Amino acid sequence: MKKKIAAMMFLIMLGTLAGCSKEKKEDRVIDVHTMAQSLLNDITYEDQLTKVEGNMFQMIYGISQEDIEEYEAYVSTGATAEEIAVIKAKDEATAESMEEKLTERVEAQKNSFANYIPKEVEKLEEAVVYQEGVYVVLSISNDDEKAEKIISGK
């Protein structure tokens, strides 16, 4: 009986050690510029998208430059709701907070376009807001499936 208990304890310890030796899955590295350019060039937009920089980025998204390592963003002329934002945050907690801000941006745009250009609300309903590790991505277009493929890398 003691040998069985000892053998079971040995197997439990061995299992525990084997579990500890598993390597942590590598976090995905996203090239912010490349992804933004793929979203911009591989999806057909109805409107002209213009690059957003500096204070304008902070005004649109309510995200402080201090929380960002890098970003690339594009907005439409206002005739459509089309938009792209690819952001690398300083850390994962900040990225999660940014995801909320991008979701709030989509909701605010729904309210704005509901009376202004109601057909744009459909795009906003299908907006892709994605967060993985320190990266956050927003894509508003007529092709959310293609945007999801570009963003997921699959």
Side-chain angles (χ1 to χ4, degrees):
M1 182 72 162
K2 287 183 182 180
K3 286 184 181 182
K4 284 185 179 180
I5 293 173
M8 289 173 80
M9 294 294 284
F10 176 76
L11 290 174
I12 291 171
M13 285 178 28
L14 190 60
T16 302
L17 290 173
C20 291
S21 68
K22 289 182 182 176
E23 290 182 32
K24 182 184 174 212
K25 180 184 165 193
E26 286 290 317
D27 289 332
R28 180 171 160 213
V29 176
I30 295 172
D31 183 305
V32 170
H33 175 74
T34 300
M35 181 174 288
Q37 289 302 303
S38 290
L39 290 167
L40 183 64
N41 297 321
D42 297 347
I43 295 174
T44 302
Y45 295 92
E46 295 174 24
D47 200 359
Q48 178 68 37
L49 299 184
T50 304
K51 193 170 187 176
V52 177
E53 298 181 288
N55 292 336
M56 186 61 84
F57 179 85
Q58 188 170 347
M59 286 174 37
I60 291 171
Y61 298 107
I63 296 172
S64 172
Q65 296 283 344
E66 297 166 359
D67 294 331
I68 298 171
E69 282 199 19
E70 66 179 304
Y71 73 93
E72 192 161 326
Y74 297 86
V75 294
S76 71
T77 63
T80 69
E82 297 168 332
E83 202 165 310
I84 299 167
V86 183
I87 307 164
K88 181 179 181 185
K90 295 246 179 208
D91 56 53
E92 194 166 339
T94 303
E96 290 170 4
S97 171
M98 287 179 188
E99 179 184 23
E100 291 175 22
K101 288 186 184 220
L102 293 180
T103 300
E104 290 169 6
R105 164 78 176 165
V106 170
E107 291 304 313
Q109 290 291 79
K110 283 181 192 176
N111 292 332
S112 294
F113 278 97
N115 293 320
Y116 177 56
I117 306 174
K119 76 176 184 98
E120 289 302 301
V121 175
E122 292 175 33
K123 285 181 194 169
L124 291 157
E125 292 290 340
E126 301 299 322
V128 179
V129 180
Y130 177 88
Q131 185 263 325
E132 179 180 336
V134 296
Y135 301 96
V136 189
V137 182
L138 168 65
S139 175
I140 303 169
S141 70
N142 281 322
D143 199 345
D144 56 297
E145 288 181 18
K146 191 167 199 173
E148 287 175 355
K149 286 180 183 176
I150 292 168
I151 294 166
S152 69
K154 296 179 182 173

